[in-house]
């Protein structure tokens, strides 16, 4: 099930749980869902997710941020928001797998249920994907499957599309691929610069990422409710 957000229609402030997007069912873990976030840059999606969690009833909380860049703004936001932040500098790891091992270990030690890649500018390996199968969500600034990979906004401008947008999806081994959770479309205007289009897309990312996470969580709950637990 994927959610489509119409730009023209203002959404209510996101709340956990979000019956209009997750069909009324919310993971009943008997405690708030524990989210881990990975970021490399500004961290605006990280902050939007924290805000969404804090706005509603305590259905989910961001318990840890992992960053790979010591100077990133996301790290400063975590400090301001009071979220524990771990720096795992990719330059200190000779292989991607070793970095992913540490990322997974950090989240597992913190009993994280679901991991969100909110602007993580590294390719992830099966080590992390395998540690969080169907529990790893990414946000990408295009309407996937169009414009995978680096500079999706530049790719959209170069292609001359008139509509672009963003996608929250589950992570699979191919870059920017995996089951789509939520998408939002935005118009590409004739006088758009890279910066203006990126900003329009990003404001939608901040809205759909929490919805995508809620949908992924609903799937997680379905997994946990095995036949022996039903009835
Ligand atoms: C977002 O545009 C996201 O789609 C991409 O990286 C950007 C991160 O922005 N993967 P921010 O760090 O959340 O502000």
């Amino acid at each position: 099930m994927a959610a489509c957000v119409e730009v023209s229609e203002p959404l209510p402030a996101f709340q956990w749980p979000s019956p209009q997007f997750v069909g009324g069912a919310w993971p009943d873990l008997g405690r708030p869902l524990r989210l881990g976030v990975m970021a490399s840059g500004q961290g605006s999606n990280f902050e939007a997710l924290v805000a969404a969690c804090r706005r509603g009833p305590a259905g989910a909380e961001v318990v840890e941020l992992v960053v790979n860049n010591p100077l990133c703004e996301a790290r400063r936001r975590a400090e301001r928001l009071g979220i524990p932040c771990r720096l795992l500098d990719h330059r200190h790891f000779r292989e991607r797998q070793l970095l992913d091992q540490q990322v997974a270990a950090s989240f597992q030690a913190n009993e994280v249920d679901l991991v969100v890649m909110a602007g993580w500018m590294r390719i992830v390996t099966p080590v992390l994907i395998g540690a969080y199968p169907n529990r790893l969500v990414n946000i990408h600034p295009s309407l996937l499957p169009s414009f995978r990979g680096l500079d999706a906004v530049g790719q959209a401008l170069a292609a001359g599309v008139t509509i672009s947008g963003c996608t929250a999806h589950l992570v699979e081994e191919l870059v920017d691929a995996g089951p789509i959770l939520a998408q939002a479309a935005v118009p590409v205007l004739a006088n758009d610069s890279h910066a203006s289009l990126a900003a329009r897309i990003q404001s939608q990312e901040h809205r759909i990422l929490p919805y995508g996470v809620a949908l992924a969580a609903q799937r997680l709950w379905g997994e946990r409710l095995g036949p022996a637990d039903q009835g």
Side-chain angles (χ1 to χ4, degrees):
M1 175 177 46
C4 176
V5 176
E6 284 188 30
V7 182
S8 55
E9 234 172 69
L11 285 172
F14 183 83
Q15 292 213 328
W16 305 90
S18 170
Q20 70 271 44
F21 273 80
V22 295
W26 179 253
D28 181 12
L29 305 183
R31 57 168 173 76
L33 191 75
R34 295 172 69 80
L35 303 177
V37 179
M38 302 158 69
S40 303
Q42 288 299 311
S44 67
N45 279 287
F46 156 64
E47 182 158 359
L49 191 57
V50 172
C53 292
R54 290 180 176 174
R55 246 193 325 263
E61 60 180 324
V62 176
V63 296
E64 182 179 357
L65 174 73
V66 168
V67 299
N68 65 304
N69 171 3
L71 301 176
C72 69
E73 180 62 24
R75 199 178 182 193
R76 279 192 281 275
R77 287 188 204 244
E79 204 177 325
R80 176 162 51 74
L81 294 164
I83 308 273
C85 178
R86 173 162 304 210
L87 168 65
L88 292 171
D89 190 331
H90 61 277
R91 289 165 296 195
H92 298 163
F93 296 85
R94 59 172 201 284
E95 286 171 18
R96 290 184 196 280
Q97 285 86 344
L98 296 174
L99 170 63
D100 281 1
Q101 222 166 49
Q102 289 304 306
V103 174
S106 186
F107 287 143
Q108 281 164 344
N110 232 332
E111 297 183 342
V112 162
D113 300 303
L114 204 145
V115 175
V116 183
M117 291 165 55
W120 180 255
M121 300 309 286
R122 313 289 307 164
I123 292 173
V124 292
T125 69
V127 170
L128 182 61
I129 300 169
Y132 282 91
N134 297 317
R135 295 160 195 218
L136 189 56
V137 174
N138 184 42
I139 183 80
H140 183 75
S142 78
L143 289 174
L144 291 174
S146 292
F147 311 134
R148 293 183 164 128
L150 286 177
D151 193 15
V153 173
Q155 291 184 56
L157 286 170
V161 295
T162 56
I163 296 174
S164 191
C166 47
T167 304
H169 66 96
L170 289 172
V171 175
E172 285 182 349
E173 279 184 43
L174 288 175
V175 174
D176 298 323
I180 289 171
L181 295 164
Q183 291 187 305
V186 306
V188 181
L189 305 180
N191 58 353
D192 258 335
S193 63
H194 191 284
S196 64
L197 179 57
R200 192 175 311 116
I201 290 174
Q202 204 165 50
S203 68
Q204 296 305 315
E205 290 184 339
H206 298 164
R207 301 165 81 188
I208 68 160
L209 184 58
Y211 289 110
V213 170
L215 288 165
Q218 189 185 44
R219 294 180 183 190
L220 173 67
W221 172 71
E223 271 173 38
R224 285 198 179 183
L225 199 67
D229 302 315
Q230 287 171 3

